[in-house]
Amino acid sequence: MMKLQGFIDSHLHVLGIGYYDSLIDLSAMESIEEIVSFLKEYKDRSILIGKGWNQSQFKEGRMIQREDLNQISTDIPIVLRRVCGHVLVVNDRMLEIAGINKNTKQISGGTFNLDTGIFTEKALNLIYQKMPKPSKKDLRNYFIKADEILIKHGITQVASDDFSSFDIDFRMVIDVLKELYEEGLMHVKITEQVNLSLEDLKAFIDEGYVNKYIHPKFRMGPLKILADGSLGGRTAAMIEPYHDDIHEMGILTYTDDELFEKIHLANQQQMDSVIHTIGDAASLQAIKALTKSIKATKRFKHAHALIHAQLTPKNQIDMMKAYDIGAIVQPIFINSDMNILEERIGERMNHTYLFHSMYNNLRLGFSTDAPIEPVSPFLNIYTAMTYKSIKHANMPCLNPSQKFTFEEAIKAYTINNLPFVYETSLNQDDYIEIDGSIDDNHVEKLKKVTVLKTVIDGKVVYSKNS
């Protein structure tokens, strides 16, 4: 048995974890044909919502499309989200319900294609707005389920993006979580990453929510912004074209002025920004906007950070260091990205995932972005220590110079994450016990670790044997 500090995950989606647990899981599917056949067994539902498909593992070698889904049904609406969450595909019935046709205008920061039924980035909202909205009871169930999953994996505190999970009023999410904490049904501590439109952000500020404690275990945190998309979906914004599509450079979801306006509004209210940036064009845009706002406000003490940043190059890391911009990273993304890196970006893959370089120069914390990737801290630590994919185990180490030691990985998952959950010190009453022991010489054990007990504020909230 080994005792460890409770893990802090600095970016995931608590509500999404619970919700995803209720969806049809397509992550193991290896062909479009298999998905079509599989989903025909679910035609008794009023709407089919699936998650986790990944065209890189399809034998057809392409994304699933509208006509594929029409083979399942043209009467039941179907919405299938890609594993990254930045791309989805729908059938004709869902297009009809959403009122999307040849007269529907494209929106800035996203795309949709009527021929394929594929939607990306901000265009996803055209579909989400017309999908059934969760009830208060649904939200409660999703949060309770997510809490169970988190404590089972030894996670005691998180920074979580929950306002963007559904097209609902953010106040409803706050009210539900407040009730759950007061009823003792939530255990994991949450610092909310506030993902709101500019209009809602202004209301959030006006109503006094900035940095506010809703409950001792639940507080409002930084502004969360999505600046681009995903590598797998080719929506990550790139400085140079994609290697496998020279006409594609991804999507910046904001103009430079729009991004600065949002960041600066928050920064003027002593509210930090954490920004989803996967492509190097997105990270450069975000760094410039943050730097401009920091200079204007002279707010040099902050917890601004880039989330993901796996394609952020060395010269941009230097820019981040100059203004103390942190990084919230997910080594576990190597698990899914490994087999597409060369295809997507060619030789540039040798200069990606510079996480240890960031660790040596910036405030760097670990997270999983669950439910996009598995929530387990131990699988995340495994990829950080080996720079190898678990899913594609036959592939070589991505970048040996970037490997973490076990001690460094634990630090990135605990002490280094404190600024991102707005804490100044570790709570020694938050700890876990695991089976066996782990060190630098027994890395493979990480893939099989079992959490025996999770303790929060000195209270046992999970025990494997009870």
Side-chain angles (χ1 to χ4, degrees):
M1 186 183 74
M2 184 178 188
K3 181 178 177 180
L4 295 170
Q5 178 70 39
F7 287 107
I8 301 171
D9 191 307
S10 49
H11 174 64
L12 44 62
H13 309 260
V14 175
L15 185 53
I17 291 169
Y19 174 59
Y20 261 47
D21 191 66
S22 71
L23 300 184
I24 303 170
D25 188 2
L26 306 174
S27 60
M29 302 293 170
E30 297 181 350
S31 71
I32 294 169
E33 179 184 8
E34 185 180 3
I35 287 179
V36 170
S37 176
F38 179 69
L39 289 180
K40 285 180 178 178
E41 302 299 318
Y42 288 86
K43 290 173 65 175
D44 59 333
R45 298 193 179 188
S46 59
I47 182 171
L48 293 183
I49 306 175
K51 63 177 180 180
W53 62 269
N54 188 343
Q55 80 278 8
S56 67
Q57 62 194 40
F58 291 165
K59 69 178 183 181
E60 292 89 350
R62 64 172 176 84
M63 289 192 177
I64 191 166
Q65 299 181 7
R66 174 181 63 86
E67 286 298 340
D68 301 314
L69 303 192
N70 286 339
Q71 294 178 39
I72 301 166
S73 177
T74 55
D75 298 319
I76 304 168
I78 303 175
V79 181
L80 305 185
R81 293 179 57 166
R82 191 183 179 278
V83 61
C84 62
H86 292 263
V87 177
L88 61 76
V89 60
V90 299
N91 68 342
D92 283 352
R93 179 59 179 146
M94 190 64 228
L95 287 173
E96 181 184 348
I97 291 172
I100 298 171
N101 53 49
K102 63 182 180 181
N103 297 318
T104 305
K105 294 181 179 180
Q106 294 283 347
I107 64 173
S108 175
T111 63
F112 67 86
N113 185 311
L114 286 179
D115 291 333
T116 63
I118 292 174
F119 290 69
T120 70
E121 303 311 329
K122 287 188 176 179
L124 302 181
N125 290 328
L126 296 173
I127 298 299
Y128 292 153
Q129 289 168 2
K130 300 299 181 180
M131 289 174 63
K133 290 180 170 49
S135 65
K136 186 175 179 180
K137 181 179 179 181
D138 291 331
L139 294 180
R140 286 175 60 90
N141 289 337
Y142 297 151
F143 274 122
I144 290 170
K145 181 62 180 179
D147 188 71
E148 293 173 357
I149 292 170
L150 290 166
I151 60 177
K152 182 179 180 180
H153 285 92
I155 298 163
T156 57
Q157 191 161 7
V158 301
S160 178
D161 171 358
D162 300 305
F163 294 163
S164 67
S165 295
F166 298 102
D167 182 33
I168 57 176
D169 192 313
F170 71 87
R171 300 169 190 83
M172 183 177 177
V173 177
I174 291 175
D175 290 344
V176 167
L177 272 174
K178 182 175 184 290
E179 288 179 7
L180 291 173
Y181 279 112
E182 289 175 347
E183 294 169 21
L185 297 175
M186 285 291 293
H187 306 93
V188 174
K189 303 167 188 176
I190 296 177
T191 299
E192 187 66 38
Q193 292 179 335
V194 180
N195 190 341
L196 295 173
S197 67
L198 183 60
E199 181 182 355
D200 281 341
L201 175 60
K202 290 176 179 177
F204 180 91
I205 292 170
D206 290 343
E207 293 172 29
Y209 280 111
V210 174
N211 301 327
K212 181 179 181 179
Y213 274 97
I214 309 300
H215 180 274
K217 291 186 177 181
F218 176 42
R219 69 173 295 171
M220 297 297 103
L223 173 65
K224 161 72 186 305
I225 299 175
L226 286 165
D228 70 342
S230 72
L231 185 64
R234 291 194 194 86
T235 55
M238 309 294 285
I239 293 174
E240 298 178 13
Y242 279 85
H243 182 69
D244 54 350
D245 187 346
I246 61 172
H247 302 294
E248 182 60 74
M249 297 179 70
I251 297 173
L252 285 173
T253 54
Y254 294 86
T255 66
D256 292 349
D257 290 342
E258 288 170 341
L259 184 62
F260 173 75
E261 179 185 13
K262 203 167 185 181
I263 289 170
H264 196 52
L265 173 63
N267 202 27
Q268 289 174 307
Q269 304 297 321
Q270 305 296 305
M271 187 178 184
D272 301 311
S273 291
V274 291
I275 308 172
H276 166 118
T277 60
I278 289 184
D280 53 358
S283 55
L284 180 60
Q285 183 194 42
I287 293 166
K288 287 181 175 179
L290 285 168
T291 299
K292 182 179 178 181
S293 182
I294 291 168
K295 288 179 178 178
T297 59
K298 301 189 184 305
R299 184 173 173 250
F300 297 104
K301 188 176 182 180
H302 58 76
H304 299 310
L306 301 189
I307 300 176
H308 307 314
Q310 65 255 47
L311 304 186
T312 301
K314 178 65 169 64
N315 68 310
Q316 292 184 20
I317 296 173
D318 293 339
M319 294 170 67
M320 294 168 69
K321 182 178 180 180
Y323 287 89
D324 198 26
I325 298 169
I328 297 171
V329 303
Q330 302 76 32
I332 191 64
F333 275 19
I334 292 172
N335 189 42
S336 295
D337 284 356
M338 183 72 89
N339 72 323
I340 63 169
L341 273 173
E342 185 171 11
E343 177 185 348
R344 290 286 186 276
I345 59 176
E347 188 275 337
R348 284 174 284 173
M349 69 177 287
N350 298 316
H351 309 284
T352 61
Y353 279 92
L354 302 179
F355 294 161
H356 201 268
S357 295
M358 293 180 186
Y359 176 86
N360 288 332
N361 289 279
L362 312 173
R363 290 177 289 106
L364 175 136
F366 280 177
S367 76
T368 57
D369 200 20
I372 304 304
E373 288 288 345
V375 74
S376 168
F378 301 102
L379 297 182
N380 207 9
I381 292 172
Y382 174 86
T383 52
M385 293 180 67
T386 64
Y387 261 63
K388 292 191 66 174
S389 169
I390 300 168
K391 187 186 300 183
H392 308 286
N394 60 321
M395 300 188 74
C397 167
L398 175 60
N399 192 337
S401 70
Q402 298 296 314
K403 290 181 182 180
F404 285 70
T405 65
F406 181 66
E407 182 180 358
E408 290 170 336
I410 291 294
K411 184 179 178 182
Y413 237 133
T414 53
I415 296 172
N416 283 18
N417 270 336
L418 288 173
F420 305 128
V421 293
Y422 293 179
E423 299 286 356
T424 56
S425 61
L426 293 173
N427 184 344
Q428 300 303 317
D429 289 330
D430 292 353
Y431 64 90
I432 66 172
E433 294 175 0
I434 63 172
D435 60 336
S437 61
I438 307 166
D439 55 39
D440 292 337
N441 298 317
H442 299 90
V443 180
E444 292 300 318
K445 284 185 177 180
L446 285 161
K447 293 188 288 186
K448 301 177 181 178
V449 168
T450 297
V451 174
L452 302 177
K453 182 187 294 184
T454 301
V455 179
I456 297 178
D457 291 335
K459 178 182 177 182
V460 178
V461 296
Y462 168 76
S463 176
K464 186 177 185 298
N465 298 320
S466 63

